[in-house]
Amino acid sequence: MYVTPVAPENATGALHALYEGEVAAKGYIPNYTRLFSLRPEAYRAWRQLVTALNGTMELRRYELATLAAAEALHCRYCVAAHGAVLESKFYDRSQLEAIVRDFRNAGLDPLDVAIMAFAQKIARHAYEVTEADVAELRTLGLGDAEILDVALTASARSFFSKTLDAMGCEPDEALAGTANLLDLVGSSETQPGRG
C-alpha cells in the first residue's frame, strides 16, 4: 500500500468498531478496510451504496456485473474478491475460470452475458453506451430500474477499483485462491470481441 493506514492498535471510536466488526465477520481486517481507515466516512458511504445496490439486484447478477467491471478495470483485488464470492456461492472453479476467460462463451444465459457486457462497457468507456445497449437489456427482460442497477453497479465498481489500484492496495491472503484470476485473460483490452 502506498499510504500508511491506521494500525489496529491505534484505532479508536468508530474505526476501532469497524476493525472489530471485520475481524468478527471475516476473521481478519481486509486491506481495503485498512486503506479506508484514513477516511472511514468515505468507507461508510461506500458500504451504504453497496447495501442499496445489493438490496435491488439478485446477488449472482450483482457479482457477475461487478466481476465484469473489475476485469475491465484490471483490478486484481476486486476480480479476486468477487470471483471468490461467485465460486463459493454459484459456480465451480472451472466454470468461474471460463467466465473470467471469456464470459460470452462460458455457458451463461444470454441475459447474464448482456449484463456483463454492459457493465464492462460502462467501466471501460461509459461514453460509448448507446440506447441500443439499453434496448438489448430490455429485450432480454430487464426493466429500466434493473438496467439502472447494472449501470450503478459498474460505476460504483469503477470508484472502488480505481481507489484500490491507485493506492497500491493488494488482495488479502485470504483471497490467494482467486488472486490470479485476472491473469487468465491478460490484458482484456487486447482480447478480440471482449468490448
Side-chain angles (χ1 to χ4, degrees), residues 49-118:
L49 177 59
V50 169
T51 299
L53 294 173
N54 283 339
T56 59
M57 287 184 79
E58 174 194 336
L59 180 61
R60 186 181 58 81
R61 288 209 165 123
Y62 169 81
E63 292 295 339
L64 287 172
T66 299
L67 181 72
E71 182 187 324
L73 295 163
H74 305 282
C75 183
R76 203 164 69 94
Y77 199 140
C78 293
V79 168
H82 294 278
V85 173
L86 286 164
E87 186 177 18
S88 71
K89 295 183 182 288
F90 303 107
Y91 301 107
D92 65 25
R93 182 56 179 231
S94 63
Q95 180 69 17
L96 175 63
E97 288 182 0
I99 291 167
V100 171
R101 243 186 238 104
D102 181 2
F103 64 83
R104 288 177 174 84
N105 295 300
L108 296 174
D109 71 51
L111 178 56
D112 289 342
V113 171
I115 285 170
M116 291 186 78
F118 189 62

Side-chain angles (χ1 to χ4, degrees), residues 107-169:
L108 296 174
D109 71 51
L111 178 56
D112 289 342
V113 171
I115 285 170
M116 291 186 78
F118 189 62
Q120 194 175 65
K121 189 172 191 178
I122 290 167
R124 281 190 185 144
H125 307 294
Y127 62 90
E128 291 181 357
V129 172
T130 66
E131 193 170 351
D133 296 315
V134 172
E136 178 185 5
L137 291 170
R138 265 194 211 110
T139 300
L140 291 168
L142 287 189
D144 286 356
E146 294 167 310
I147 294 166
L148 179 60
D149 288 340
V150 178
L152 289 168
T153 297
S155 299
R157 184 55 37 194
S158 294
F159 157 75
F160 203 70
S161 291
K162 288 180 181 225
T163 300
L164 298 185
D165 283 345
M167 296 292 99
C169 193

